[in-house]
Amino acid sequence: DAGITQSPRYKITETGRQVTLMCHQTWSHSYMFWYRQDLGHGLRLIYYSAAADITDKGEVPDGYVVSRSKTENFPLTLESATRSQTSVYFCATKGGDSYEQYFGPGTRLTVT
Amino acid sequence: QKEVEQNSGPLSVPEGAIASLNCTYSDRGSQSFFWYRQYSGKSPELIMSIYSNGDKEDGRFTAQLNKASQYVSLLIRDSQPSDSATYLCAVKTIGFQKLVFGTGTRLLVSP
């Protein structure tokens, strides 16, 4: 049981390009989250989703787009990447009545 | 004032000692509290959750919650070099499904 997977694990892209980070879960958890982690800022919530077709903004949504057509997938798209979006991106899930979140392995994104 | 505050450290303790990690939060309505461990280059891993005042023990880990003083702590007994990591405190406030994370405390356990 893979739990949560993220792809790619590493990505280098150029300023202005569109990039999509994938998140897939096998637990059928209803909630999914996208965070970015930067030195000095900790984990910051970008977007989250309560269920398929239900998404909402987090703390730092600007420059990002999400969709959730299926419960198990929650892609994050950077429509026009900027250097300030260089970061480590984590996907997480939460299921049932628990508030515990479980994290994927992360994607390290570098924008040049 | 940040919503969740932690001393960034590093907190250095010798092997076998007790490591004490602290976290304060600003929202009195906060209900649920979590400690995550994050090794360098890895993702956060949930190690403890606590929901009511008092202590909760799990192996070498004890979480302590004091809602009146708005702090939560994590004690690691018999610290091992393998405990060297960054420990993140996370808080869930009332009415939201989201967690707010502190910036983490780096723990170094020396042999």
Side-chain angles (χ1 to χ4, degrees):
Chain A
D1 184 355
I4 308 174
T5 56
Q6 293 184 236
S7 61
R9 295 293 313 279
Y10 303 90
K11 177 74 176 178
I12 300 175
T13 191
E14 296 177 342
T15 300
R17 292 198 178 255
Q18 182 179 82
V19 177
T20 295
L21 309 183
M22 301 300 296
C23 179
H24 175 79
Q25 57 133 338
T26 60
W27 292 323
S28 299
H29 283 175
S30 54
Y31 276 84
M32 297 185 75
F33 306 84
W34 273 108
Y35 294 89
R36 60 178 291 175
Q37 188 174 40
D38 306 286
L39 202 62
H41 289 282
L43 282 163
R44 291 183 291 175
L45 183 64
I46 304 170
Y47 269 96
Y48 67 102
S49 169
D53 298 321
I54 301 175
T55 62
D56 207 348
K57 296 178 180 179
E59 181 185 355
V60 289
D62 293 344
Y64 303 95
V65 174
V66 294
S67 62
R68 194 170 178 204
S69 57
K70 294 183 178 181
T71 300
E72 61 266 30
N73 296 324
F74 191 35
L76 176 73
T77 297
L78 289 66
E79 292 191 300
S80 178
T82 65
R83 290 196 181 88
S84 64
Q85 293 177 310
T86 292
S87 186
V88 179
Y89 291 85
F90 290 106
C91 177
T93 71
K94 180 191 87 68
D97 295 332
S98 168
Y99 296 110
E100 298 172 350
Q101 292 185 19
Y102 298 92
F103 285 80
T107 294
R108 183 173 295 273
L109 175 68
T110 301
V111 183
T112 62
Chain B
Q1 181 187 7
K2 292 183 179 179
E3 292 184 73
V4 179
E5 294 207 52
Q6 297 180 255
N7 188 317
S8 61
L11 173 65
S12 295
V13 300
E15 183 175 358
I18 296 175
S20 178
L21 305 162
N22 299 311
C23 170
T24 59
Y25 58 94
S26 59
D27 188 341
R28 283 197 171 273
S30 298
Q31 297 175 304
S32 308
F33 307 86
F34 306 91
W35 284 99
Y36 286 81
R37 177 177 63 199
Q38 187 175 24
Y39 292 113
S40 181
K42 301 295 185 182
S43 59
E45 173 193 11
L46 180 67
I47 55 172
M48 289 288 286
S49 55
I50 187 166
Y51 303 98
S52 54
N53 279 330
D55 294 0
K56 179 182 178 183
E57 188 175 318
D58 184 0
R60 295 186 296 112
F61 298 100
T62 299
Q64 299 176 318
L65 175 61
N66 184 324
K67 289 186 178 180
S69 299
Q70 295 176 242
Y71 83 79
V72 57
S73 61
L74 179 70
L75 301 179
I76 306 175
R77 291 182 299 282
D78 188 24
S79 295
Q80 301 297 309
S82 59
D83 294 325
S84 297
T86 296
Y87 290 80
L88 306 174
C89 172
V91 175
K92 181 209 169 296
T93 56
I94 192 168
F96 294 94
Q97 296 293 332
K98 301 173 285 186
L99 298 182
V100 179
F101 286 82
T103 54
T105 298
R106 186 171 167 221
L107 173 65
L108 297 176
V109 182
S110 54

